[in-house]
Amino acid sequence: MDEQGIVTTYEEMTEVVNRLGILPLAQLIPGHPSLNRLTKAENWHTGSELDPWAWRARFPGEGLAGYGKFIRKKAVLVSREWFPAFVKAVGSSMELEERYNNGLASREAVQLLQIIRDNEGIETRELRSLAEMKAKEKKTAFDNALNELQGTADIVISGVKARLNTEGEVNGWNSTSFETAARWMKENNLPSFGGSREEAAEWLQAAMEARWTNEAQAWINKVLSL
């Protein structure tokens, strides 16, 4: 499954995501496939049904995979079967506000999460506006806070929204939208993982055992501290 360009359709890629559990958009995990390597370069950014760039929004939109920059600030798809255990293993047992009080989270992350909780599915530009972080010098802090929230699986990318002008017409590039992982799971009838973080890590390791290379599993165990 490390061959290039062998997957053509969304349905075929769904089978890959379901089988592997975790699939980065670009090459990230040693000895492990990625969306861009498994698909044909000429199909990207075509706007057709065969465009893998469009699939990234279909997966969370159809409840087939959680999507976000979950690993080393890189975009990753996590199958719905694996997602509850992944959230439990990667996330924290403390609420974000408690993490902030203990010096384990940034003020900007707390601010953005509260806005996202109050506006589930909010798109990036509106989020920056409500957070009063539209100024150019605040962009890095804004991006870092979003990456922080995704890295702890507090939020997911729920899809992309078209940018509209005042007349309601599409105007400009599509914008990423965000919601809490808890909300995405509830919307898609996914239960929370019932066990401890250690049990979630064991679940993931057992699932990877039969499907991943030793190299890939060793890397993910180290990076995610499983």
Side-chain angles (χ1 to χ4, degrees), residues 101-176:
N101 291 333
N102 284 279
L104 301 174
S106 68
R107 177 180 57 81
E108 291 84 1
V110 175
Q111 180 185 10
L112 293 188
L113 183 59
Q114 186 56 60
I115 295 172
I116 294 170
R117 284 171 176 163
D118 293 340
N119 303 272
E120 297 280 6
I122 190 171
E123 58 88 23
T124 306
R125 282 181 294 270
E126 184 180 1
L127 180 58
R128 284 187 71 179
S129 178
L130 290 178
E132 298 182 352
M133 299 178 75
K134 292 180 69 175
K136 185 177 180 181
E137 60 269 19
K138 293 186 177 182
K139 185 179 187 304
T140 297
F142 177 80
D143 290 342
N144 287 343
L146 279 180
N147 287 336
E148 179 182 339
L149 291 171
Q150 291 170 81
T152 50
D154 285 293
I155 65 170
V156 300
I157 296 174
S158 54
V160 294
K161 292 183 178 180
R163 184 177 183 180
L164 306 178
N165 59 22
T166 54
E167 285 75 38
E169 301 168 332
V170 175
N171 178 29
W173 293 101
N174 289 345
S175 181
T176 304

